[in-house]
Amino acid sequence: MARDPSPVSRQEARDRSDSDWAKTQTPRGQREPSKPRQAAATDSATVDLIDWLSENPSTIEHIQEVGDLLTGSVISELDKRFGGGRPRETRRILTNHFWCDLLVALAEGIEEFSKAMDRIPEYVTAAIIKSRNDERRSPLLEALVALAVQTAWGPIKSMVHATGVEEVQRTCRILAVLICPAPENHTAVQNGALLPLAKEGMLETSRERLEQVFPAEWVRRLRGDLGGA
């Protein structure tokens, strides 16, 4: 959609997102926002990111490169080591927010250890395992996580040297949002991808919607980053 020179499909996606948001109700009192309202808010943010990508084709190429890496050599290595006779089952398990966890952890690790890159794979592996524990997702073998991280890290490290830290972080964060099955249910994506991206690739409308459905701490951090109250 971001590659399409015509804005029609993107506008249709925005219209659907706006319609979904309009159908939801503002929560009363101390009630939490409904799941449909949360989903509509993150959909609005996703449409903004796709619009932003349509004007930044170089980032689209980088996203394609990282996506091909994950679906190519990383999956291939995991199939060989852990697929056994049922590689599809292993792949199915990984669709439960593993890939978006991996991308967010890579973006954070690159920032944390930009001057000590050899430490990044260990950091990313630990971050993924912690995220899954914190969000009570199905546990994964540490060896599987470590293999995925190590296989992905070599090419991504080369990309860091070629394009810079910020561009690779942006690439990983946007791809994490785009592939996440439900960003509204994934705290790591909310904090590690949507929060930093809200500063550069989202319209005010989407930021306001996210503020209405995400925790107060997320809102405080966003406003602090934007220099607001």
Side-chain angles (χ1 to χ4, degrees):
M1 190 185 298
R3 292 180 186 271
D4 190 343
S6 170
V8 173
S9 60
R10 294 192 296 276
Q11 185 59 51
E12 289 175 346
R14 185 172 298 283
D15 290 344
R16 286 194 299 271
S17 171
D18 289 344
S19 175
D20 289 344
W21 176 261
K23 292 175 184 175
T24 65
Q25 299 292 323
T26 303
R28 297 180 179 179
Q30 299 299 315
R31 292 183 180 179
E32 294 290 324
S34 67
K35 289 299 181 183
R37 190 169 180 82
Q38 292 176 334
T42 57
D43 285 348
S44 178
T46 300
V47 173
D48 284 354
L49 293 175
I50 293 172
D51 266 345
W52 184 90
L53 284 172
S54 70
E55 299 175 357
N56 293 271
S58 62
T59 302
I60 296 178
E61 296 302 323
H62 298 147
I63 287 174
Q64 185 69 58
E65 187 176 346
V66 174
D68 289 346
L69 168 66
L70 298 183
T71 59
S73 57
V74 175
I75 279 288
S76 178
E77 287 299 314
L78 294 180
D79 281 350
K80 284 189 285 187
R81 281 280 301 278
F82 298 98
R86 304 176 64 187
R88 289 187 179 180
E89 178 63 17
T90 301
R91 293 187 182 193
R92 185 191 65 77
I93 293 171
L94 296 179
T95 61
N96 184 18
H97 293 282
F98 171 72
W99 299 112
C100 31
D101 264 339
L102 172 61
L103 290 162
V104 168
L106 279 167
E108 292 177 343
I110 291 168
E111 181 173 13
E112 185 76 17
F113 298 105
S114 60
K115 296 182 180 179
M117 287 199 171
D118 290 343
R119 298 178 60 187
I120 290 177
E122 180 182 355
Y123 169 89
V124 172
T125 300
I128 293 171
I129 292 171
K130 182 179 185 303
S131 172
R132 298 189 74 80
N133 287 338
D134 290 348
E135 301 197 39
R136 298 180 180 179
R137 304 198 189 283
S138 55
L140 296 170
L141 290 174
E142 183 173 347
L144 182 149
V145 176
L147 178 61
V149 172
Q150 289 286 356
T151 306
W153 175 236
I156 289 178
K157 182 178 179 180
S158 298
M159 188 184 295
V160 171
H161 292 312
T163 66
V165 167
E166 289 187 4
E167 176 61 13
V168 175
Q169 286 181 294
R170 183 182 299 113
T171 295
C172 289
R173 287 166 175 160
I174 293 176
L175 185 55
V177 174
L178 295 181
I179 69 172
C180 185
E184 66 275 10
N185 296 330
H186 195 171
T187 302
V189 169
Q190 293 168 20
N191 293 333
L194 284 170
L195 182 61
L197 290 171
K199 295 181 289 184
E200 64 173 331
M202 291 183 201
L203 299 177
E204 183 63 26
T205 297
S206 294
R207 287 200 294 265
E208 289 176 353
R209 289 174 180 176
L210 292 177
E211 288 183 5
Q212 291 184 43
V213 301
F214 281 175
E217 174 62 17
W218 190 95
V219 176
R220 186 192 66 76
R221 290 174 61 192
L222 174 63
R223 291 180 178 176
D225 289 343
L226 294 174

